[in-house]
């Protein structure tokens, strides 16, 4: 699956087409969520001690 940013939501009415710039852009957080998913997506080992 690919997600692409295409811009603000178009509002189509009988007077023409406008773009809704009033709402906060949710795609701004998409990169942060992808990084978090990649950080959590790994194998976990039981009974393994980590020495620092």
């Amino acid at each position: 699956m690919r997600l692409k940013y295409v811009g603000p939501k178009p509002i189509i009415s009988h007077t023409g087409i406008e773009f809704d710039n009033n709402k906060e852009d949710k795609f701004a957080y998409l990169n942060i969520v992808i990084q978090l998913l990649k950080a959590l997506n790994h194998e976990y080992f039981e009974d393994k001690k980590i020495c620092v």
Side-chain angles (χ1 to χ4, degrees):
M1 175 169 60
R2 287 187 178 177
L3 296 175
K4 293 183 180 180
Y5 178 71
V6 294
K9 179 180 177 182
I11 301 171
I12 303 171
S13 67
H14 68 281
T15 59
I17 300 173
E18 297 177 358
F19 294 98
D20 187 9
N21 291 322
N22 296 330
K23 293 186 179 179
E24 183 179 352
D25 185 12
K26 295 178 185 175
F27 282 93
Y29 302 107
L30 189 58
N31 189 28
I32 297 168
V33 172
I34 291 171
Q35 290 177 10
L36 182 61
L37 285 174
K38 285 181 179 179
L40 295 175
N41 186 21
H42 60 83
E43 297 285 329
Y44 289 96
F45 300 103
E46 291 184 23
D47 300 329
K48 185 167 184 170
K49 295 181 182 179
I50 299 174
C51 297
V52 178

